[in-house]
């Protein structure tokens, strides 16, 4: 049963998805007090204690209450394995379950967006929005902002393994870089994180909570959007299901889809905006044939190396020792310091696999612990790990609905390692990471290489290892790509092309994947979009 529209069911803006982008929009669009905002979130409130503890992301990988827990279709390039794709399903979205790293990508990424015809999206255009969002612990400068909603902080857990990794990378020829988000990205150093005083600062914490205290925003959790409502080719509202009851709400100004690289194209397709043949196959009335919706899916793949440590200083040793584990918990409770503040990477590096490249094409995430898979038990032995991530993969995939039922997960195909460039970059990246992990500075800490193991030396061996062990590093984008060509879904103001009153605002609009982690750029996109929306409302 669908509830009848009423005065109370009308808002100026309806935002679908309270994630990294949706919470930013809810804050900015309601700030003046002139606009009413409804924020719909399919998941629950962000009350799970592990959301707010930085290392808690490991507890949330397999938590169905706050995680969509998607799986890809069998991946031909990864020996036919289906790859787990965690996505946040709670207030804050993936910013509530992610690895907390604040990495914007390279200046050239955004200049490339502009060169693809996206006026207003070059690095000089987007830098002010990165700065507007940021509350940089080190203070503001040419590249950083201070006083914004989003705290960006240095590590609160000095770690000898991370320091040794940095020294080892310098020994192999990388420069030390104290700021991956500054003048240049190349080099090795410590990551900064979206935390404040040892607690996670999701967009729900940083943006939504202040907006709720101020007023003008209504939040509905456990509200799964079923479809966007249209009059002709104008979006006029959203139908959503909550606790078994279907409701219809209407937007006086715009519907803003902020559901992420998987759920945004899924919702458009369920609503009749997508490839016509796919929609007809599922009995959905075609509002507009938009073949680009769900096209061009991109993701970063990671391949990890695991080392056995010669000293009992890893997180494995703490977690597997009852007394040390208790001390860790007490230290965090009292001081908000220690291993529980570790993000999904303590130290990192960016480098080129080919000197002819203009910018780095590989990112390393270093961690003072080891496990077979993220979210599973740490190894019983002393271990640490590091992964490579190819920054600009050529491989492209797709997202397509499997049903007209919004609760049915979509078909996700990423096509990892589909091109020679991608295969070569991963093999060369592994070789260079191996050189770092066996450099003199790390020798006092290394017993042996557990994975892939020194017996694997040829390019063919290393590529086979990539196929056997490669997985996502959780950065899907580009399924509602911004551009001017026939396959582009949104224009430069993030309006769905050919539809009035409808925008998509999240990582799905990226014309190309950025050379870094995706959370900071998604927040920037929402900051810029909120300004454009308010300009267009005048």
């Amino acid at each position: 049963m669908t509830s009848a529209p009423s005065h109370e069911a009308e808002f100026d803006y309806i935002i679908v998805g309270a994630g990294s982008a949706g919470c930013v929009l809810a804050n900015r669009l309601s700030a003046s007090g002139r606009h009413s905002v409804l924020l719909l979130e399919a998941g629950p409130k962000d009350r799970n204690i592990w959301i707010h503890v930085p290392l808690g992301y490991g507890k949330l990988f397999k938590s169905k209450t706050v995680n969509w827990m998607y799986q890809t279709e069998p991946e031909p390039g990864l020996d036919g394995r289906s790859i787990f794709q965690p996505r946040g399903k709670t207030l804050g979205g993936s910013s509530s379950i992610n690895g907390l790293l604040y990495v914007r990508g390279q200046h050239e990424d955004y200049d490339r967006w502009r060169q693809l015809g996206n006026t207003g999206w070059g690095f000089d255009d987007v830098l002010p929005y990165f700065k507007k969002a940021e509350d940089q612990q080190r203070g503001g400068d040419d590249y950083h902002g201070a006083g914004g909603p989003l705290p960006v902080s240095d590590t609160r857990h000095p770690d000898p393994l991370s320091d040794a990794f940095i020294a080892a990378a310098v020994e192999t020829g990388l420069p030390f870089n104290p700021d991956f988000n500054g003048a240049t990205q190349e080099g090795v150093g410590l990551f900064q994180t979206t935390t404040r005083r040892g607690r996670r600062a999701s967009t729900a914490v940083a943006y939504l909570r202040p907006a709720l205290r101020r007023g003008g925003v209504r939040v509905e959790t456990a509200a799964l959007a079923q479809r966007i409502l249209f009059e002709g080719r104008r979006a006029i509202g959203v139908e959503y299901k909550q606790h078994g009851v279907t409701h219809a709400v209407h937007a006086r100004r715009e519907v803003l889809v902020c559901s992420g690289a998987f759920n945004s194209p899924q919702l458009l397709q369920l609503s009749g905006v997508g490839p016509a043949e796919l929609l007809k196959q599922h009995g959905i009335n075609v509002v507009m044939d938009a073949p680009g919706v769900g096209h061009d899916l991109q993701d970063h793949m990671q391949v990890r190396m695991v080392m056995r440590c010669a000293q009992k200083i890893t997180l494995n040793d703490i977690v597997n020792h009852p007394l040390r584990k208790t001390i860790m918990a007490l230290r965090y409770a009292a001081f908000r310091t220690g291993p529980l503040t570790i993000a999904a990477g303590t130290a990192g590096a960016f480098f080129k696999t080919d000197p002819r490249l203009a910018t780095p094409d590989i990112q390393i995430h270093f961690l003072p612990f080891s496990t077979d898979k993220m979210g599973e038990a740490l190894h019983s032995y002393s271990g640490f790990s590091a992964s490579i991530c190819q920054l600009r993969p050529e491989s492209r995939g797709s997202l397509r609905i499997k049903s007209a039922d919004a609760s049915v997960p979509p078909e996700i195909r990423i096509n990892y390692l589909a091109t020679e460039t991608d295969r070569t970059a991963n093999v060369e990246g592994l070789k260079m990471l191996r050189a770092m992990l066996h450099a003199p500075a790390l020798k006092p800490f290394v017993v042996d290489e557990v994975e892939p193991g020194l017996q694997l030396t040829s390019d063919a061996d290393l590529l086979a290892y990539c196929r056997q062990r490669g997985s996502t590093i959780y950065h899907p984008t580009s399924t509602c790509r911004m551009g001017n060509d026939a396959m582009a879904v949104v224009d430069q103001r993030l309006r769905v092309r050919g539809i009035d009153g409808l925008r998509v605002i999240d990582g799905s609009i990226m014309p190309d994947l950025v050379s870094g982690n995706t959370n900071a750029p998604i927040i920037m996109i929402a900051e810029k979009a909120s300004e454009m929306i308010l300009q267009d409302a005048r």
Side-chain angles (χ1 to χ4, degrees), residues 211-251:
L212 292 175
R213 287 194 294 269
R214 187 180 60 224
V217 179
R218 176 172 149 190
V219 176
E220 294 291 343
T221 53
L224 178 62
Q226 305 293 297
R227 62 189 178 107
I228 300 160
L229 303 174
F230 291 96
E231 280 184 356
R233 287 196 174 182
R234 178 171 185 83
I236 60 166
V238 176
E239 185 179 281
Y240 69 93
K241 186 175 285 187
Q242 185 181 53
H243 308 307
V245 178
T246 302
H247 305 271
V249 284
H250 288 241

Side-chain angles (χ1 to χ4, degrees), residues 345-425:
T346 50
F350 294 86
F351 62 87
K352 303 170 187 173
T353 58
D354 186 329
R356 294 172 294 182
L357 293 171
T359 60
D361 63 330
I362 295 288
Q363 177 179 2
I364 290 174
H365 294 76
F366 179 88
L367 280 166
F369 63 81
S370 65
T371 177
D372 286 333
K373 290 182 180 179
M374 281 295 185
E376 297 188 356
L378 302 187
H379 289 140
S380 59
Y381 56 81
S382 301
F384 61 93
S385 55
S387 68
I388 60 160
C389 160
Q390 182 196 7
L391 291 170
R392 291 179 299 280
E394 293 179 344
S395 302
R396 299 290 182 267
S398 63
L399 182 135
R400 293 164 66 90
I401 54 171
K402 289 182 175 180
S403 165
D405 182 347
S407 66
V408 175
E411 172 195 283
I412 301 169
R413 298 182 186 277
I414 298 181
N415 295 328
Y416 296 110
L417 297 181
T419 76
E420 187 60 35
T421 295
D422 294 2
R423 294 188 287 270
T424 300

Side-chain angles (χ1 to χ4, degrees), residues 164-229:
F165 170 75
I166 292 171
V170 170
E171 287 173 341
T172 63
L174 281 184
F176 175 69
N177 188 344
D179 183 8
F180 296 133
N181 302 299
T184 186
Q185 186 192 63
E186 190 165 13
V188 61
L190 295 171
F191 286 120
Q192 287 197 299
T193 59
T194 49
T195 56
R196 174 174 281 131
R197 293 186 291 277
R199 287 174 64 85
R200 176 192 292 273
S202 68
T203 55
V205 170
Y207 284 89
L208 183 58
R209 285 185 185 175
L212 292 175
R213 287 194 294 269
R214 187 180 60 224
V217 179
R218 176 172 149 190
V219 176
E220 294 291 343
T221 53
L224 178 62
Q226 305 293 297
R227 62 189 178 107
I228 300 160
L229 303 174

Side-chain angles (χ1 to χ4, degrees), residues 67-85:
N67 187 339
W68 288 100
M69 295 187 63
Y70 289 133
Q71 294 276 352
T72 70
E73 300 300 303
E75 285 285 332
L78 300 184
D79 290 347
R81 293 181 295 126
S82 292
I83 303 302
F84 179 52
Q85 293 280 339

Side-chain angles (χ1 to χ4, degrees), residues 105-165:
Q106 298 162 6
H107 303 185
E108 293 83 357
D109 295 334
Y110 304 98
D111 290 340
R112 188 171 70 251
W113 289 10
R114 182 183 59 205
Q115 288 158 11
L116 291 170
N118 297 295
T119 305
W121 290 91
F123 180 71
D124 289 344
D125 302 308
V126 302
L127 178 60
Y129 300 99
F130 280 118
K131 294 172 71 172
K132 179 181 181 181
E134 191 179 8
D135 186 16
Q136 171 59 245
Q137 178 183 331
R138 303 172 187 176
D141 59 24
D142 289 347
Y143 295 102
H144 294 285
L150 183 72
V152 177
S153 304
D154 293 323
T155 180
R156 293 172 67 86
H157 178 59
D159 169 48
L161 279 170
S162 300
D163 292 340
F165 170 75

Side-chain angles (χ1 to χ4, degrees), residues 434 449-450 452-458 461:
R434 174 179 272 171
E449 180 183 303
V450 180
L454 290 174
Q455 74 278 9
L456 300 184
T457 57
S458 71
D461 287 341

